[in-house]
Amino acid sequence: VLTLGFVPGPATMFQGIFKLPAAHYMTISKGQVKQVKYWDLNFEPEPAIAEAAATEQFMERLREAVRLRLMSEVPLGALLSGGLDSGTLVALMGSQLQQPLKTVSIGFDHPEYDEATHAAALARTIGTDHRPVTFSEQDFEHYPQVMWHLEEPQCSATAVPIYRLYRACREAGLTVVLTGEGADELLGGYHWHRGDRLARSLLGVPYPLRRLLVKAPLPMSAAARRVLKYGTRDLPKRYRHWLEIPDDGYRSALFSDSVKSELLANQVNPLLAGWGDYVSDLAGADPFHRLLWLEAQTRLVDFINFEVDKMSMASSIEARVPFLDHQLWEFVATLPPGLKLKGRTEKY
């Protein structure tokens, strides 16, 4: 948790308690415990597809994914951040519902992070019954309740505004809420997808030159500098470098001498040692697709979905996620990388 900011499966923070891997179920019969994988993703590309046809088929599948998640006998609404993902879902919901749609958004009293005006503009355009909420410093008073519901610590404060957001949904009378998580993992929407493509092109540069790049005053994130510094071609290790929380020396100060000694002896975090297995069957696939699949089975499961599930259920809200529809993923996996990450455009 001090390396990635979350607890990677199958571990938990509790001794003797473990998580099932993604897309697995467990059977227990006559004292025998069996783990079964029930779904996998195939990144074998289909024959060449025109961009217009791919767009049409993508929207058709996303529209169906939304339609399936509109079935509800209780009040239903959506989160609307003002971004592309939630805006698309709300537009598709609005086109399929007969009654006005309730949307909820959270804004921040710091303009650098606030998207409330974008959410309000989208709500007006689509015609939703919009309920904005503003998150302020005082909302950190909820932190003890947030940690109680999370059950495990994580090195991110995002759970606090998400908790506040779902409380607002409940206050608006909603019981089922559609949300836009999963689009970035599906289509390559994070900065490290673009950054990793650039980093791969520099891995062959001799270390002294890479070292100069790392130290140069270039517009580059701390994570990108870390990836270039280590220069590993091992995808799981490189992905860890993208995710790693800046240390600033605190890890060494927190760990006991025995823990430091054990870490130094092993050199490999045992919780991350199995990450290579997630992409071992994709050796011939495009590195971008291998990164998406690794991400889908690690950070998406143990951080994104974990946080949404815990914070929504804290207010007895059922969160439904159309971008995680398995048929949508199966289709997108067959599309070439250039239809997801094109030039500097993420989620193209």
Side-chain angles (χ1 to χ4, degrees):
V1 73
L2 295 177
T3 301
L4 302 174
F6 59 89
V7 181
T12 71
M13 294 292 281
F14 300 94
Q15 186 175 6
I17 299 178
F18 303 93
K19 306 170 191 169
L20 276 173
H24 283 68
Y25 66 83
M26 176 184 286
T27 62
I28 304 172
S29 177
K30 298 179 181 178
Q32 298 295 313
V33 178
K34 187 177 181 182
Q35 232 175 238
V36 181
K37 187 173 187 177
Y38 63 82
W39 183 78
D40 205 350
L41 198 60
N42 183 9
F43 280 94
E44 288 295 326
E46 292 289 332
I49 184 171
E51 185 174 312
T55 302
E56 182 179 348
Q57 291 181 41
F58 174 82
M59 288 306 299
E60 181 182 318
R61 285 168 172 79
L62 182 57
R63 188 175 291 108
E64 176 64 6
V66 169
R67 186 191 69 80
L68 291 172
R69 287 156 183 83
L70 293 180
M71 298 178 186
S72 176
E73 296 178 351
V74 293
L76 176 146
L79 303 185
L80 184 60
S81 69
L84 177 65
D85 307 330
S86 65
T88 301
L89 294 185
V90 169
L92 291 173
M93 291 174 71
S95 68
Q96 298 184 51
L97 290 172
Q98 302 302 317
Q99 67 274 19
L101 173 66
K102 279 186 182 178
T103 54
V104 181
S105 69
I106 192 162
F108 296 85
D109 56 7
H110 196 298
E112 184 180 350
Y113 305 108
D114 190 43
E115 292 183 336
T117 54
H118 300 298
L122 270 173
R124 285 194 302 271
T125 301
I126 299 170
T128 72
D129 177 6
H130 191 57
R131 313 293 177 91
V133 176
T134 300
F135 184 88
S136 67
E137 189 176 337
Q138 285 70 39
D139 283 303
F140 278 103
E141 295 174 357
H142 299 301
Y143 191 71
Q145 298 102 296
V146 168
M147 288 307 304
W148 190 88
H149 286 288
L150 279 175
E151 298 183 291
E152 295 184 340
Q154 58 184 37
C155 297
S156 172
T158 53
V160 185
I162 293 175
Y163 172 80
R164 181 71 184 87
L165 181 58
Y166 280 107
R167 275 191 61 191
C169 291
R170 194 68 191 183
E171 291 162 3
L174 298 175
T175 307
V176 175
V177 170
L178 269 65
T179 179
E181 276 82 13
D184 291 312
E185 291 80 7
L186 175 66
L187 299 165
Y190 293 118
H191 68 87
W192 53 74
H193 295 126
R194 181 159 42 93
D196 196 68
R197 186 176 61 185
L198 178 60
R200 290 197 305 271
S201 67
L202 298 172
L203 292 179
V205 174
Y207 177 71
L209 291 179
R210 278 193 286 109
R211 186 180 177 188
L212 289 175
L213 278 175
V214 168
K215 294 188 174 182
L218 299 170
M220 191 186 308
S221 68
R225 294 182 191 279
R226 189 165 52 244
V227 169
L228 285 178
K229 174 186 173 182
Y230 289 107
T232 178
R233 294 185 181 277
D234 184 288
L235 178 64
K237 288 182 180 177
R238 198 166 67 245
Y239 182 49
R240 172 201 157 163
H241 293 150
W242 281 114
L243 297 185
E244 192 170 329
I245 296 171
D247 186 335
D248 296 330
Y250 73 81
R251 276 200 289 265
S252 179
L254 286 171
F255 291 158
S256 67
D257 290 339
S258 61
V259 169
K260 291 177 191 174
S261 176
E262 188 172 341
L263 289 174
L264 192 63
N266 294 327
Q267 291 292 315
V268 176
N269 186 325
L271 297 182
L272 308 182
W275 280 19
D277 297 337
Y278 290 132
V279 291
S280 59
D281 294 337
L282 297 177
D286 187 279
F288 171 73
H289 281 161
R290 296 178 74 219
L291 180 59
L292 287 182
W293 189 225
L294 175 61
E295 184 173 60
Q297 296 176 94
T298 55
R299 186 177 181 269
L300 175 62
V301 176
D302 296 318
F303 176 57
I304 301 294
N305 288 353
F306 173 87
E307 191 174 65
V308 169
D309 183 53
K310 297 283 190 177
M311 294 300 95
S312 59
M313 292 311 296
S315 292
S316 298
I317 296 287
E318 180 190 340
R320 297 180 180 176
V321 194
F323 281 113
L324 293 184
D325 181 88
H326 73 281
Q327 292 183 333
L328 181 65
W329 275 68
E330 288 164 1
F331 168 70
V332 172
T334 68
L335 298 178
L339 290 181
K340 303 161 197 175
L341 177 64
K342 187 168 186 176
R344 296 179 60 83
T345 303
E346 297 153 356
K347 293 190 287 191
Y348 176 77

